[in-house]
Amino acid sequence: MATLMPEPPASRPLVIASAPGKVILFGEHAVVYGEPAIAAAVDRRVRLELLPSATGEPSVNWYPMREEHHAFLLNVFKLAGIEVALRAATTSDLPSAAGLGSSAALTAAAATAALSLAGTLTAEPGATLTPKEEEDVARVAYEAEWLAQGGSGSPTDTATSSHGGAILVDSSRGAGLIRTVTRADRTWHLHDLEVPRLTLVIGNTGARGRTADQVAKVKRLTMKSAFARETVRDIGALVREALPALKAGDAERIGRLMDRNHNLLCVLGVSTPKLDQLVEAARRTSYGAKLTGSGGGGCMIALTDRAAETTKNLERLGAEVYAVKLGGPGARIEPDA
Ligand code: PMV
């Protein structure tokens, strides 16, 4: 990491924005093969302030903003048409690199702040963005992330952080379509999904699974095994079953589907003994539990109305635990407190 920059006298932020993290409720990995997936925002956010740069150089948390570490932020400024050097200051109540979408949330918050500074977005602090403003934020955030990742990744995380609530990603269009994104040979139809504000307990294994490695592992398996390909289709069918259960807020049914989704992810080889141990422990006081995101480490989620007991059971096994509510607002401008 580069050397810290000298800290000049405090100045007031030009704009403050925030965006939520996310969990994948159902359908990770199978979504890579065109099956549907459901992602939902959580009530833990990343907050970003943009301030004038006293040094004339762009910086983030007092470190020089460099292409190799902060490409997505530099891309956001470029795409929003910001030409002046800015200082970004960030705070987050999401763990990073744990599959909870902290990087997408930061990118969406940065896009919101930058578009507000550029005058493209005129929402008042705390107000919900208009569909057009949200579309602008999601587009800039995804483009910035996609370019920074060298042209890979789906728009799921940035769309969920921008939109809030929950999103159904599908290869075909349906009711509640927000927008369609096409990159190279892939098309994603993103739909708004209403989800009840259920409580989830998230357990972080502390191990870092790289999404690209897990995706490659599943690809190898599906290429050689018809059973793995069938498992992918089974996950897709399960996601379709989850839609009415979520709509009805039927926690017991949602929980049972989470259990089944976890077992199918185990068949695809993306769980780990630690994830299985946490899922098993959480199930004693939950409707259901599963790993979330790419697996190989990262986090699991449990749907429960006994959050305190579930938290204790997971902490006893060494996990870092967060109780969150599903859904909630997407990216927004924050008041200058
Ligand atoms: O690691 P996460 O939470 O960003 O989830 C990745 C989800 C996958 O389905 C495994 C990959 C993808 O591009 O959809």
Side-chain angles (χ1 to χ4, degrees), residues 22 24 28-29 31-32 99 154 157 211 215 293-294:
K22 69 95 198 29
I24 296 186
E28 50 275 89
H29 285 289
V31 71
V32 173
S154 85
D157 285 18
T211 300
V215 170
S294 57

Side-chain angles (χ1 to χ4, degrees), residues 193-214:
L193 202 65
E194 256 184 59
V195 289
R197 300 219 67 189
L198 300 166
T199 301
L200 282 188
V201 169
I202 302 177
N204 184 1
T205 60
R208 290 181 176 207
R210 276 194 59 222
T211 300
D213 294 344
Q214 299 305 312

Side-chain angles (χ1 to χ4, degrees), residues 133-295:
E133 289 174 331
E134 183 202 303
E135 155 84 37
D136 287 338
V137 167
R139 188 178 37 78
V140 166
Y142 180 51
E143 186 73 19
E145 201 180 70
W146 192 78
L147 291 169
Q149 290 171 359
S152 69
S154 85
T156 310
D157 285 18
T158 43
T160 310
S161 270
S162 306
H163 184 70
I167 297 248
L168 167 71
V169 187
D170 208 342
S171 56
S172 56
R173 292 160 179 263
L177 182 75
I178 310 170
R179 110 182 141 269
T180 295
V181 179
T182 302
R183 282 286 186 292
D185 58 344
R186 291 197 56 188
T187 293
W188 298 271
H189 299 289
L190 305 167
H191 305 77
D192 172 68
L193 202 65
E194 256 184 59
V195 289
R197 300 219 67 189
L198 300 166
T199 301
L200 282 188
V201 169
I202 302 177
N204 184 1
T205 60
R208 290 181 176 207
R210 276 194 59 222
T211 300
D213 294 344
Q214 299 305 312
V215 170
K217 185 172 169 182
V218 174
K219 187 168 185 185
R220 284 195 297 275
L221 193 64
T222 53
M223 274 163 61
K224 63 175 190 223
S225 153
F227 183 59
R229 292 193 290 277
E230 199 181 309
T231 303
V232 164
R233 287 193 294 275
D234 287 347
I235 293 177
L238 182 148
V239 175
R240 287 181 203 99
E241 260 186 76
L243 289 170
L246 278 167
K247 198 165 180 192
D250 184 343
E252 295 206 355
R253 217 163 123 217
I254 300 167
R256 277 198 300 274
L257 290 165
M258 287 168 71
D259 286 347
R260 267 174 53 201
N261 197 164
H262 182 77
N263 298 343
L264 293 170
L265 287 164
C266 289
V267 172
L268 293 182
V270 294
S271 192
T272 64
K274 190 72 199 176
L275 279 167
D276 288 344
Q277 188 191 30
L278 297 182
V279 162
E280 200 54 50
R283 279 177 183 164
R284 281 183 240 131
T285 51
S286 305
Y287 295 108
K290 65 182 275 292
L291 70 84
T292 185
S294 57

